[in-house]
Amino acid sequence: MNSRTAKKAIGGNSRLLDLHRTMLLIRATETALSKLFADGEIPGFIHLSLGQEAVAAGVCSALGPADTLATTHRGHGHVIARGIDLGGFFKELMGREGGQCKGRSGSMHVADMGLGILGANGIVGASVPLALGSALAHQTRATGGIAVAFFGDGAMAEGALHEALNMAALWSLPMIFVCENNGWSEFSPTARQFRGKLANIAGAFGIRHIHVDGNDAEATADAAREAADHARATGPVVLECMTTRFHGHFEGDPQKYRDSEEMAAMAAGDPVARSRARLIELGMAAADLDAIVSETEARVAAAVEASRADALPDFDATLADVYTPMGAH
Amino acid sequence: MADTRYIRAINKALADAMDADASVVLMGEDIADAGGSFKATRGLLDRFGPARVRDTPISEGAIVGAAVGAALGGLKPVVEIMFMDFVTLAMDALVNQAAKSRFMFGGQASVPMVVRLPHGGGLNAGPQHSQCLEAWFAHIPGLKVLCPATVEDAYSLLRAAIDDPDPVVFVENKALYAMAGDLPEEPARASIGKARIARQGSDVTLVTYGATLFNCLKAADALASDGISAEVVDLRSLQPWDKETVLGSVARTHRAVVAHEAVRSFGVGAEIAAVIGEEGFDDLDAPVGRVGAPFMPVPFARSLESRFIPDAAAIQAAVVASLA
Ligand SMILES: Cc1ncc(C[n+]2csc(CCOP(=O)(O)OP(=O)(O)O)c2C)c(N)n1
Ligand SMILES: [Mg+2]
């Protein structure tokens, strides 16, 4: 069954199938990255969002072409859900010429201005003021767009978040503050990092706070739609998505600080397994869902092969490209 | 002599300083339970307890600002900023507060604090996790800046930094953390501001610090086989820096090349070259050479970063140019 007949089979729930496909693409991409990293094919360090796919898929499903986003060190899912070219993405992470950022950024700074992606970020909290400014540009230029700031629970401790909440409220900026609360910042649980409650902090600025199970793709998509409508019509809104980080802080982190109970509970909350079960409940055949997995994995494998074959970036051309060439704009 | 690693020497210096002085406290992200991202503080929580080894939230501005206040309040805080790049979020605390408090309060109080900053590339960590920003701090009156290259200096200089009454920016090259070296049972006390002649030579003086020391030594070996004798001066301390040792060496060799991993333009090498030019002009047979990273952010790709970081060949070439 091809995807059109698959959609027909689940009636009005093609949205869930779309979300599921996006999540599968993130899952397949990051599963491949985990292996490539272990094999030494990805330099530097990478932070995977396995387990957090529903947040990326759900939030990006609410965005239109004019909208913009800024994300974090754990941003692969967001840029994939926004539609980044898979080839350019893998080439970037593998340090190739054809990378989306010409091999200069790697995992932590991957960006696609054409898609309104203002970059992943190596600095915790930095995405928030960037999105704030992007929202200011939307407002000033009347683009009709909104800006999304993805940030982790750990970033709640950075002053930048609090400063940006105030300014967004002051200026009624069209912006969603999306907190991906996975309960951990690096090797420390949120409870030992942050004494406030995001709902209360948002409330202190008169900003609406929406709380959602970020491992439920449909619920997250609904909440994101509501948040986006609010941002467009009224002003800033906080969307807090509760989710789960499956892997270590970075690949290679043995996670000795997490107890076995927490690790065991992960599978039960797996957002991809949950959407799959729901689709089957709605009448989709498991075999059709498996076929989508295979197609997705094949797409990822092809992108990896193309990256391997791509040239290495040229040093002199890179050095010559620190500033905008005269007359380029 | 005990064989140990650079990171273990840092760890031991912290532990010994805490043993010696109850006012020494540690603060930083994931330094207590997790023992630090690079394991510099491993085991210290168990030994000294949570009041002296404190995990902080991700709040660099407040961490370093609090260190200034704590130092004024009678503690000797040692802060770890996970990557030097993140110190940008704490610049007010360091530059406007720590550096100036003693001076602007008319000498009423000192600010005995240390901020440990891992710098340097080689890990393909990209533009925001690889920078060498030490020249910024050397430019600020009131701050001291150290950058040890050897295992023994990592220990001795960190002890000296913690004992120092003024704020010290302590820069550690990440690529050196795993390096093995000797640490004597009773390491000598180091004094801040003293360079070390790491290799004697007569034809040219290589002035360097941090991980680039090892590229200079490699370059000196290669030059030796071409009959060129290079003296290598390891600065160890950038602010203050040991003008006497450097000028003394140049007076013997008549040539100098300054080399560091940081971007060449407006770097530490510019100050040193300028002072050699001003005060050692009559001794010079050639312009002072400078080797440093090219003027661009640290690029991610292996193929780019490996060319970005100045290597022994670049240092050799600069020496050959100064002899031409
Ligand atoms: C300013 C700054 N401080 C510290 C770090 C190191 N660091 C990287 S990720 C991270 C934890 C972030 O936790 P959270 O915001 O919850 O995001 P998560 O990793 O859980 O997605 C830390 C401390 C950094 N990159 N930038
Ligand atoms: Mg987190």
Side-chain angles (χ1 to χ4, degrees), chain B residues 189-207:
Chain B
R189 277 311 173 92
S191 35
I192 290 177
K194 281 265 160 277
R196 181 179 69 97
I197 297 187
R199 176 189 174 115
Q200 289 188 327
S202 52
D203 295 331
V204 60
T205 300
L206 289 172
V207 184

Side-chain angles (χ1 to χ4, degrees), chain B residues 119-259:
Chain B
H119 80 166
L123 312 182
N124 306 112
Q128 295 173 345
H129 284 70
S130 311
Q131 297 169 86
C132 294
L133 304 173
E134 53 276 7
W136 291 359
F137 302 101
H139 187 65
I140 302 299
L143 297 180
K144 295 183 181 178
V145 183
L146 309 184
C147 189
T150 66
V151 168
E152 185 172 357
D153 280 349
Y155 178 88
S156 308
L157 286 173
L158 184 50
R159 290 298 305 272
I162 296 171
D163 285 346
D164 197 272
D166 292 315
V168 178
V169 171
F170 194 85
V171 185
E172 304 158 11
N173 193 300
K174 298 187 286 280
L176 297 180
Y177 278 151
M179 180 184 72
D182 280 330
L183 186 63
E185 283 309 327
E186 296 282 323
R189 277 311 173 92
S191 35
I192 290 177
K194 281 265 160 277
R196 181 179 69 97
I197 297 187
R199 176 189 174 115
Q200 289 188 327
S202 52
D203 295 331
V204 60
T205 300
L206 289 172
V207 184
T208 188
Y209 63 89
T212 307
L213 169 66
F214 301 100
N215 284 336
C216 285
L217 292 171
K218 233 189 269 172
D221 278 342
L223 289 163
S225 54
D226 293 338
I228 300 165
S229 163
E231 179 146 298
V232 179
V233 177
D234 174 9
L235 287 174
R236 308 200 281 182
S237 174
L238 307 180
Q239 185 58 269
W241 66 279
D242 190 348
K243 220 163 69 172
E244 286 65 37
T245 298
V246 171
L247 290 173
S249 174
V250 174
R252 291 190 301 276
T253 63
H254 309 294
R255 286 182 169 80
V257 170
V258 195

Side-chain angles (χ1 to χ4, degrees), chain A residues 67-86:
Chain A
D67 299 339
T68 47
L69 67 86
T71 176
T72 69
H73 56 285
R74 206 176 300 287
H76 301 158
H78 311 137
V79 303
I80 291 168
R82 186 65 178 150
I84 200 166
D85 172 67
L86 208 55

Side-chain angles (χ1 to χ4, degrees), chain A residues 52 73-74 152-155 180-186 190 245:
Chain A
Q52 305 187 179
H73 56 285
R74 206 176 300 287
D153 46 287
E180 264 181 305
N181 190 336
N182 60 15
W184 289 93
S185 42
E186 291 202 339
T190 314
R245 190 190 86 197

Side-chain angles (χ1 to χ4, degrees), chain A residues 49-250:
Chain A
S49 64
L50 292 166
Q52 305 187 179
E53 295 90 343
V55 178
V59 170
C60 291
S61 75
L63 303 184
D67 299 339
T68 47
L69 67 86
T71 176
T72 69
H73 56 285
R74 206 176 300 287
H76 301 158
H78 311 137
V79 303
I80 291 168
R82 186 65 178 150
I84 200 166
D85 172 67
L86 208 55
F89 174 83
F90 272 101
K91 285 173 190 161
E92 186 54 45
L93 271 74
M94 293 170 80
R96 296 307 206 271
E97 172 97 84
Q100 188 61 43
C101 305
K102 302 180 179 167
R104 302 170 197 176
S105 98
S107 159
M108 259 190 297
H109 312 283
V110 83
D112 184 339
M113 295 298 149
L115 294 173
I117 301 169
L118 312 181
N121 214 300
I123 302 298
V124 168
S127 59
V128 183
L130 294 181
L132 179 88
S134 182
L136 179 66
H138 286 307
Q139 187 186 63
T140 307
R141 299 177 54 225
T143 65
I146 61 172
V148 173
F150 285 101
F151 59 99
D153 46 287
M156 292 192 288
E158 288 283 14
L161 171 69
H162 304 258
E163 296 175 20
L165 283 167
N166 180 44
M167 287 166 77
L170 266 181
W171 298 341
S172 305
L173 294 178
M175 168 169 187
I176 315 179
F177 293 80
V178 178
C179 179
E180 264 181 305
N181 190 336
N182 60 15
W184 289 93
S185 42
E186 291 202 339
F187 326 117
S188 295
T190 314
R192 286 205 289 109
Q193 292 269 311
F194 197 66
R195 201 41 69 83
K197 291 248 172 305
L198 189 53
N200 295 343
I201 293 162
F205 294 103
I207 295 177
R208 182 158 168 223
H209 173 271
I210 302 172
H211 191 268
V212 71
D213 174 357
N215 290 343
D216 179 334
E218 285 189 288
T220 304
D222 287 340
R225 167 69 53 203
E226 198 182 326
D229 289 346
H230 182 92
R232 275 180 232 284
T234 313
V237 52
V238 172
L239 175 60
E240 185 170 5
C241 308
M242 305 308 290
T243 184
T244 320
R245 190 190 86 197
F246 280 6
H247 277 212
H249 170 59
F250 47 78

